[in-house]
Amino acid sequence: MIKLPYEQIVEKITSKAGITAEELESKVNSKMEQLSGLISKEGAAHIIANELGIKLFEATSGKLQIKNILAGLRNVETLGKAIQVYELREFNTNGRAGKVASFLMGDETGNIRVVLWGEQAEMVKQITPGTIVKVAGAYVKENNGFNELQLNEKSQLVINPEGIKIEVKDSKVSYRKQISELKETDNNVEILGTIVQVFDPRFFEVCPECSKRVKAENEVFACPDHKVVEPDYSYVLNLVVDDGSDNIRTVFFRENMEKVLKASKEKVLEFKDSPEKFEETKNTLLGNIIKINGRAKKNLFFDRIEFLANNVDVNPDPEEEIKRLDAEVKKAETS
Ligand SMILES: [Zn+2]
């Protein structure tokens, strides 16, 4: 099943059927009522698109801009520029050794993480921020709230393809929002604020091969795809960030948590075994200014908006921030 965000479904239907968003909304609501609330809003919108003869997916494979890459797509081709390269990780499960590496890449429409396995993972050593990369034959998986491009042995990764230039929607021009203005549909936006609260990190067991969560049964960990495994650990850190307009709970998984804590995986895992060691780190984080790129996400359980980090800058350049503020003030004055 391909996951198209609701706002994109609305955009497609309204533009192709020539109806307003309000008209569509009432159609969606009556469809949901008709089906006694057994379907989601997205599901209802899919049915309406069908009834109106509108195709929601034109290209389910082939060359795509990053913003059009959706979870569930297969055989995706895309181009981007590396923004951040993560550490190559090695694992050993049941005598099978493996490697996994990843990097974040962007184009003019957004950014996405690319995940490489086995021998292909070695190619990450040739990639540095700014390297242009072409990916083909990849499939898309959702992980910790973000889409990832996964490569397998049939996929291709071309480093520095000839004759290609890419404009990246980089952090300097990305869309800055005040926390009070954040909406649950905001994607690829940036916030800047002060850390005002730090929660204890949480750790969970994952399959070392595919990073899926694994659960213990009789003290044995099993992954649905890779059988019994010696679990690896993943982790998440929650911070409350305040920018003067409001505050928000922000969520940092794995590498982003390592960046916030300025710590390696080994160091982070020490906090799992000795949580008391985290107290000192907590105090050093409070009051720091942090710049986060990511997306807003509705926490249905607490009925509030949270911010999911996709990339984080723990040392934002103050001069750059002041220049940016000046530019925004000027823009506001002339408009
Ligand atoms: Zn697995």
Side-chain angles (χ1 to χ4, degrees):
M1 172 75 186
I2 294 157
K3 277 179 79 181
L4 192 62
Y6 184 69
E7 62 274 23
Q8 282 188 34
I9 304 179
V10 171
E11 200 185 295
K12 290 213 167 164
I13 298 179
T14 52
S15 65
K16 287 186 185 170
I19 59 171
T20 66
E22 290 72 35
E23 283 168 328
L24 178 60
E25 185 81 15
S26 83
K27 276 181 196 287
V28 165
N29 289 336
S30 62
K31 183 60 75 187
M32 286 173 81
E33 248 167 60
Q34 198 186 328
L35 295 167
S36 324
L38 289 172
I39 48 163
S40 65
K41 238 178 160 174
E42 286 82 4
H46 272 272
I47 294 173
I48 289 159
N50 236 339
E51 288 173 357
L52 295 169
I54 291 166
K55 262 199 192 156
L56 291 177
F57 306 107
E58 273 142 47
T60 48
S61 67
K63 203 168 154 189
L64 293 173
Q65 285 186 309
I66 289 175
K67 71 166 184 192
N68 293 324
I69 295 176
L70 305 168
L73 288 179
R74 294 186 171 270
N75 200 19
V76 169
E77 182 182 326
T78 191
L79 272 167
K81 200 186 256 182
I83 298 170
Q84 176 114 34
V85 183
Y86 303 105
E87 213 179 308
L88 180 85
R89 293 173 191 261
E90 298 195 25
F91 56 83
N92 199 322
T93 333
N94 306 330
R96 275 177 307 173
K99 290 175 208 166
V100 57
S102 67
F103 63 94
L104 189 70
M105 73 172 193
D107 67 6
E108 67 277 17
T109 67
N111 57 54
I112 193 163
R113 185 191 278 245
V114 180
V115 185
L116 311 161
W117 302 90
E119 285 312 304
Q120 261 177 344
E122 293 285 339
M123 288 179 82
V124 86
K125 292 178 182 163
Q126 302 167 49
I127 302 173
T128 53
T131 305
I132 292 177
V133 175
K134 180 181 160 183
V135 170
Y139 67 101
V140 190
K141 203 181 107 177
E142 195 184 302
N143 188 15
N144 293 333
F146 290 99
N147 290 338
E148 285 180 350
L149 268 178
Q150 294 266 346
L151 275 73
N152 59 26
E153 57 282 9
K154 288 181 207 140
S155 316
Q156 286 172 291
L157 180 75
V158 186
I159 293 170
N160 289 322
E162 263 178 55
I164 289 174
K165 274 202 179 138
I166 303 256
E167 284 294 322
V168 175
K169 187 172 174 180
D170 72 358
S171 62
K172 284 177 198 130
V173 296
S174 91
Y175 189 27
R176 170 77 62 82
K177 272 210 155 183
Q178 288 210 311
I179 291 170
S180 61
E181 300 168 336
L182 282 175
K183 294 203 187 73
E184 62 178 282
T185 52
D186 279 332
N187 199 346
N188 198 26
V189 292
E190 180 186 288
I191 59 173
L192 175 86
T194 305
I195 301 170
V196 294
Q197 200 177 348
V198 180
F199 295 92
D200 287 333
R202 282 188 289 122
F203 297 86
F204 43 92
E205 288 86 6
V206 295
C207 170
E209 289 199 38
C210 64
S211 302
K212 274 189 200 135
R213 283 196 200 195
V214 290
K215 285 207 176 109
E217 253 175 68
N218 307 322
E219 292 176 34
V220 172
F221 289 92
C223 165
D225 297 329
H226 300 104
K227 306 285 183 293
V228 174
V229 292
E230 184 63 44
D232 188 10
Y233 285 89
S234 191
Y235 27 83
V236 62
L237 178 71
N238 281 234
L239 304 174
V240 177
V241 171
D242 193 310
D243 71 352
S245 76
D246 203 348
N247 63 63
I248 192 164
R249 184 183 274 250
T250 53
V251 184
F252 303 84
F253 281 100
R254 216 158 170 157
E255 284 89 355
N256 284 313
M257 167 165 159
E258 291 168 9
K259 265 203 251 171
V260 170
L261 301 182
K262 296 179 185 145
S264 63
K265 182 182 181 185
E266 288 67 35
K267 183 88 192 139
V268 168
L269 288 176
E270 280 179 24
F271 297 131
K272 175 175 78 70
D273 301 319
S274 332
E276 72 284 353
K277 285 190 183 160
F278 190 67
E279 285 308 308
E280 202 186 312
T281 304
K282 211 179 215 176
N283 291 331
T284 63
L285 288 176
L286 287 169
N288 286 357
I289 290 176
I290 186 169
K291 184 157 89 174
I292 317 160
N293 181 281
R295 70 179 185 87
K297 188 177 194 286
K298 181 100 169 183
N299 182 323
L300 293 170
F301 189 74
F302 293 108
D303 191 31
R304 67 180 177 215
I305 293 176
E306 297 179 348
F307 199 75
L308 207 49
N310 193 22
N311 204 359
V312 54
D313 182 354
V314 288
N315 296 307
D317 177 359
E319 277 183 33
E320 194 184 291
E321 295 308 321
I322 289 165
K323 260 191 241 158
R324 181 174 178 145
L325 262 179
D326 284 349
E328 272 166 28
V329 169
K330 277 198 196 104
K331 213 172 102 194
E333 280 169 357
T334 53
S335 67

